[in-house]
Amino acid sequence: MGFPPNTRSFLSMIQDSETLSILLSTIARFVRERLIPNEEVVAETDEIPADIVHEMKATGLFGLTIPQAYGGFELTMEEEVLAMLELGRASPAFRSLIGTTLGIGSQGILLDGTEEQKRKYLPRLATGELIAAFALTEPDAGSDAVSLRTRAVCDGDHYVVNGTKRFITNAAQAGIFTLLARTGSEPKGAAGISAFIVEAATPGITLGKRDRKMGQRGAHTCDVIFNNCRIPVANLIGGVEGQGFKTAMKVLDKGRIHIAAICVAVAGRMLDEALRYALERQQFGKPIAEFQLIQAMLADSKAEIYAARSMVIDAARRRDEGLDVSTEASCAKLFASEMCGRVADRAVQIFGGSGYVSDHGIERFYRDVRLFRIYEGTSQIQQLVIARNMIRAERA
Ligand SMILES: Cc1cc2nc3c(=O)[nH]c(=O)nc-3n(C[C@H](O)[C@H](O)[C@H](O)COP(=O)(O)OP(=O)(O)OC[C@H]3O[C@@H](n4cnc5c(N)ncnc54)[C@H](O)[C@@H]3O)c2cc1C
């Protein structure tokens, strides 16, 4: 499955609704015909089958956001969100492989990389030949990312990196890492943090054992340990020290809108399943969908999904207009991820005992979506960002 011949060349900066709808319906069909039927296999084996990964690459999914000049489709943020509203209807593990690569794993290069860095890496990321990971979190630096301690010391035409990164998605599959490390003499603070592109095959990198997680089987995380790992100076993103934290925050602003779109999509999937079940399941002589207490759960979920969808689209449009979307990205991620948790909980409730046992996949989604409130900034961190921006604006 792929886009019809010749479509790819004019998919760049999709302006006409017809081309966009071809893209979206191609993704929707791929989700329906290939991803959803393989969800159970992924959950059981903890792996995405190789033929599915191959089809994801052939469909062009890894190149959605990469500029056409480097072989991608160059979707705007709004278009990316619409694509994620389709892709996100399948198990989040599928999205994790693609979304981490085209999102937090590679956006640092795209947003702040030098022309040479873009030419070297983006084309291989666009085809999916290179999988990318984002290495910010450390054992003692999670929400307080500025306190990271991994150090990169300049030594001639290389930096020597030492430190440990924790919970790194895609680490085992990654061909490159976007690494955040401390450079220069600044012992602390954001100004001493730089971003690097690190090729995974570089000597001095070892991976910890795969983390055993609550959900999202098929998406893997582990520690990444740097021990006197020598990275060429040419791989300092943008060629300037001290800009890494700013790069990471830009990457996360975009990532938060992306994750919020995924939350809307998964919530929509769970609600569809719950509605179907409520219409089929009979108790007290009629479908449970006819009970008003069930209807309240369905209606609240529908309204909240609609609200989150509207927020995500609005935040994406603002970003496309070049506006600072720090507040809107955090609002969308906070509301959409919390909403997704509530919808998952109601879906389990509507399925009753069948929601708690694993027959219908609802308990799997319940576990899978719990992560959305934690990574790329916990809900508390989104609240802090929103309030900090409000206070700063009022005082300005
Ligand atoms: C499956 C998975 C995949 C991940 N993938 C990646 C990845 O690819 N790359 C990467 O770099 N990281 C990744 N992470 C890390 C993730 O981003 C962090 O787990 C997250 O940012 C929270 O950090 P922490 O786990 O250290 O929690 P902590 O920061 O220790 O937080 C613990 C609790 O304290 C709260 N808290 C902390 N500070 C405050 C405060 N000031 N005010 C109020 N409450 C506060 C938090 O909200 C949370 O509830 C991943 C994590 C998981 C679980």
Side-chain angles (χ1 to χ4, degrees):
M1 191 185 288
F3 296 108
N6 302 326
T7 324
R8 197 177 167 113
S9 58
F10 64 90
L11 274 171
S12 159
M13 294 296 285
I14 292 169
Q15 299 294 346
D16 68 290
S17 55
E18 197 189 330
T19 313
L20 182 60
S21 75
I22 292 173
L23 168 68
L24 298 179
S25 61
T26 302
I27 297 174
R29 186 152 52 94
F30 184 56
V31 165
R32 206 171 47 244
E33 294 177 4
R34 299 295 292 140
L35 301 189
I36 291 179
N38 275 288
E39 285 175 342
E40 269 305 315
V41 174
V42 173
E44 272 165 32
T45 61
D46 200 12
E47 298 291 348
I48 301 175
D51 58 330
I52 298 279
V53 176
H54 177 75
E55 286 172 49
M56 286 171 169
K57 292 177 183 176
T59 311
L61 293 177
F62 287 89
L64 292 177
T65 57
I66 290 179
Q68 196 187 21
Y70 307 103
F73 292 147
E74 202 169 339
L75 297 191
T76 63
M77 187 78 234
E78 183 180 353
E79 291 160 352
E80 177 185 340
V81 156
L82 294 174
M84 291 310 122
L85 290 174
E86 298 297 342
L87 186 65
R89 289 182 62 83
S91 273
F94 296 114
R95 189 288 325 170
S96 181
L97 185 66
I98 301 164
T100 310
T101 295
L102 64 80
I104 56 176
S106 63
Q107 284 296 319
I109 305 174
L110 205 145
L111 294 171
D112 286 338
T114 62
E115 188 48 45
E116 204 187 332
Q117 290 166 347
K118 291 180 189 174
R119 269 206 307 268
K120 184 166 178 191
Y121 294 106
L122 294 182
R124 285 189 291 148
L125 288 162
T127 58
E129 179 194 335
L130 265 188
I131 299 293
F134 180 70
L136 172 65
T137 305
E138 298 183 357
D140 294 319
S143 298
D144 183 12
V146 172
S147 68
L148 66 84
R149 290 210 295 250
T150 295
R151 178 157 276 288
V153 177
C154 197
D155 176 27
D157 54 4
H158 283 79
Y159 283 90
V160 181
V161 179
N162 283 288
T164 297
K165 295 292 177 177
R166 179 136 297 172
F167 304 142
I168 306 306
T169 303
N170 284 352
Q173 296 102 316
I176 58 167
F177 296 94
T178 295
L179 169 74
L180 280 302
R182 199 160 281 293
T183 49
S185 53
E186 290 274 349
K188 45 186 182 178
I193 295 174
S194 301
F196 297 90
I197 306 159
V198 184
E199 299 196 2
T202 314
I205 300 177
T206 48
L207 302 182
K209 68 175 186 353
R210 186 185 282 184
D211 296 318
R212 293 181 59 198
K213 310 195 297 335
M214 175 191 284
Q216 299 212 6
R217 280 169 66 78
H220 308 138
T221 61
C222 67
D223 280 5
V224 181
I225 302 128
F226 296 87
N227 185 9
N228 290 327
C229 174
R230 294 180 71 81
I231 304 167
V233 166
N235 283 20
L236 173 65
I237 291 183
V240 191
E241 282 191 8
Q243 296 298 306
F245 199 72
K246 282 192 193 143
T247 298
M249 291 304 108
K250 281 193 264 180
V251 166
L252 287 175
D253 274 352
K254 185 170 190 296
R256 286 165 183 171
I257 300 175
H258 173 107
I259 293 292
I262 297 295
C263 292
V264 173
V266 191
R269 164 84 184 277
M270 290 186 290
L271 182 58
D272 288 350
E273 305 252 349
L275 174 61
R276 250 193 314 272
Y277 185 81
L279 287 165
E280 276 165 20
R281 174 73 179 161
Q282 303 240 350
Q283 284 298 283
F284 301 97
K286 49 178 152 170
I288 59 168
E290 289 182 22
F291 299 129
Q292 289 181 341
L293 295 176
I294 295 287
Q295 290 174 2
M297 288 193 274
L298 293 170
D300 284 352
S301 300
K302 184 81 178 168
E304 290 183 33
I305 292 170
Y306 179 53
R309 189 180 192 282
S310 304
M311 290 172 81
V312 171
I313 301 273
D314 179 70
R317 284 188 183 149
R318 284 171 190 264
R319 189 177 182 281
D320 286 335
E321 285 167 23
L323 301 173
D324 177 351
V325 290
S326 166
T327 300
E328 289 76 10
S330 284
C331 287
K333 204 260 181 183
L334 171 65
F335 185 80
S337 60
E338 293 284 335
M339 171 282 287
C340 194
R342 288 192 293 273
V343 170
D345 191 66
R346 291 181 197 125
V348 171
Q349 199 65 19
I350 290 169
F351 272 86
S354 301
Y356 191 77
V357 301
S358 54
D359 297 356
H360 295 267
I362 286 295
E363 61 81 33
R364 170 165 48 76
F365 274 112
Y366 179 84
R367 287 181 288 106
D368 285 350
V369 303
R370 188 63 183 82
L371 180 58
F372 295 133
R373 292 151 66 188
I374 294 171
Y375 69 178
E376 300 205 22
T378 63
S379 289
Q380 289 70 39
I381 292 305
Q382 308 307 332
Q383 289 173 313
L384 294 183
V385 170
I386 296 163
R388 187 195 61 206
N389 290 348
M390 289 168 67
I391 292 165
R392 194 180 283 162
E394 185 61 23
R395 285 190 176 144

